[in-house]
């Protein structure tokens, strides 16, 4: 299990023993992280506007590249997906990289952009914005996820409570926009086995959307008794049952 915190530290935990297997000192407050395949490498993002690719055994940074070339704009989340359609060729840039080929990385940026990168080459694939027309303003993206399998479709959740869905082949305009809540969307998860998108918000709610009927809206709404803002969310599908776990700053 991987965790990141405001104390600049990334920690890798053993699920079986509950012990911390490794601690990586990061780059400001850690806001997002994801494993690369089996965990020899991982990526993290944070308040300094950079994404770091790590070598876990040595606890050292392989490369540090910026997802915001103009200034140190906060990167609120990042995630990875394997996509064999990329066809990344050649050897890894660094000898400590393992299975970084055919990987796409998605970054949710404070300046209202979702940015997709080829993890192996570090090249940008596309950029999508929350500015839907000339009259609208950019809305900060708090979280992001690839959906539907592969890297062709991705989604971002914003500070104003909206979800934007994009096709990487046409990122200039969203394929769907949904107003989830008047509160910020803090986390998104995609469960491939039942083709659902899950989102949690600042008003203490969690929502489930069927990707096949996304335009219809949420078909599952979960609320708690105290309405504490939910900052973390994960889902496990067991047959016909989906277990949704959430985390808030009240310690529950």
């Amino acid at each position: 299990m991987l965790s990141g915190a405001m104390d600049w530290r990334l920690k890798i935990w053993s699920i079986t023993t509950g012990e911390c297997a490794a601690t990586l000192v990061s780059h400001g407050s850690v806001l997002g992280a994801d494993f690369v395949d089996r965990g020899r490498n991982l990526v993290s993002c944070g308040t300094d506007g950079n994404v770091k690719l790590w070598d876990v055994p040595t606890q050292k940074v392989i490369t540090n590249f910026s997802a915001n070339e103009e200034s140190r704009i906060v990167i609120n989340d990042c995630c990875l997906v394997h996509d064999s359609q990329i066809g990344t060729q050649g050897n890894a840039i660094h000898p400590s990289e393992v299975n970084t080929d055919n990987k796409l990385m998605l970054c949710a940026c404070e300046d209202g952009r979702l940015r997709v990168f080829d993890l192996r080459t570090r090249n940008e694939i596309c950029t999508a914005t929350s500015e839907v027309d000339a009259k609208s303003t950019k809305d900060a993206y708090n979280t992001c996820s690839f959906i539907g399998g592969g890297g062709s479709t991705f989604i971002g959740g914003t500070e104003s409570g909206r979800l934007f869905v994009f096709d990487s082949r046409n990122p200039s305009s969203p394929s769907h926009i949904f107003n989830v809540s008047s509160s910020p969307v803090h986390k998104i998860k995609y469960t491939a086995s039942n083709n659902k998108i899950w989102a949690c918000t600042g008003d203490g709610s969690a929502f489930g959307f069927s990707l096949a009927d996304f335009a219809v809206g949420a078909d599952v709404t979960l609320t708690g008794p105290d309405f504490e803002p939910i900052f973390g969310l994960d889902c496990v599908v067991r047959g016909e049952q989906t277990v949704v776990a959430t985390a808030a700053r009240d310690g529950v």
Side-chain angles (χ1 to χ4, degrees):
M1 184 174 68
L2 177 63
S3 68
M6 295 293 183
D7 63 357
W8 296 28
R9 287 175 170 80
L10 282 158
K11 290 182 178 289
I12 299 172
W13 303 86
S14 169
I15 297 294
T16 56
T17 67
E19 296 179 351
C20 180
T23 299
L24 292 70
V25 180
S26 188
H27 42 96
S29 298
V30 181
L31 301 178
D34 201 359
F35 282 116
V36 180
D37 277 351
R38 297 183 180 182
R40 166 66 188 261
N41 301 139
L42 64 85
V43 294
S44 67
C45 63
T47 53
D48 68 346
N50 291 310
V51 177
K52 291 182 183 290
L53 175 64
W54 295 84
D55 178 44
V56 174
T58 63
Q59 301 176 21
K60 293 182 178 180
V61 175
I62 294 173
T63 189
N64 181 4
F65 64 99
S66 175
N68 295 288
E69 68 281 353
E70 296 92 350
S71 61
R72 294 296 178 90
I73 298 168
V74 173
I75 303 174
N76 289 315
D77 198 11
C78 63
C79 63
L80 298 170
V81 71
H82 177 84
D83 192 334
S84 59
Q85 300 299 316
I86 304 171
T88 306
Q89 301 295 321
N91 296 324
I93 296 175
H94 192 280
S96 295
E97 290 184 42
V98 178
N99 295 332
T100 56
D101 57 311
N102 296 328
K103 297 292 189 305
L104 291 177
M105 180 176 66
L106 177 62
C107 299
C109 304
E110 186 75 17
D111 65 351
R113 291 186 293 174
L114 293 172
R115 305 189 70 184
V116 181
F117 294 86
D118 184 324
L119 186 64
R120 170 65 67 86
T121 66
R122 324 290 198 249
N123 293 331
E124 183 176 1
I125 304 299
C126 67
T127 296
T129 178
S130 57
E131 189 177 25
V132 295
D133 55 48
K135 296 181 180 180
S136 64
T137 57
K138 290 182 180 179
D139 191 5
Y141 280 109
N142 293 329
T143 182
C144 59
S145 179
F146 290 102
I147 59 177
S152 62
T153 309
F154 54 93
I155 185 171
T158 70
E159 184 68 17
S160 67
R162 295 182 293 174
L163 296 177
F164 288 77
V165 181
F166 292 93
D167 187 322
S168 61
R169 295 161 293 188
N170 182 29
S172 59
S173 60
S175 58
H176 292 95
I177 302 175
F178 187 74
N179 294 312
V180 178
S181 170
S182 58
S183 299
V185 179
H186 286 148
K187 196 65 181 176
I188 297 171
K189 284 288 183 179
Y190 171 68
T191 50
S193 57
N194 60 2
N195 209 27
K196 271 187 176 293
I197 301 162
W198 299 87
C200 63
T201 60
D203 63 0
S205 300
F207 303 90
F209 303 83
S210 171
L211 192 57
D213 299 314
F214 186 75
V216 176
D219 54 12
V220 178
T221 301
L222 307 173
T223 58
D226 50 7
F227 302 102
E228 283 287 334
I230 300 174
F231 290 92
L233 175 145
D234 208 347
C235 308
V236 177
V237 180
R238 298 171 179 168
E240 297 296 321
Q241 182 184 28
T242 302
V243 178
V244 179
T246 62
R249 288 181 179 171
D250 61 355
V252 180

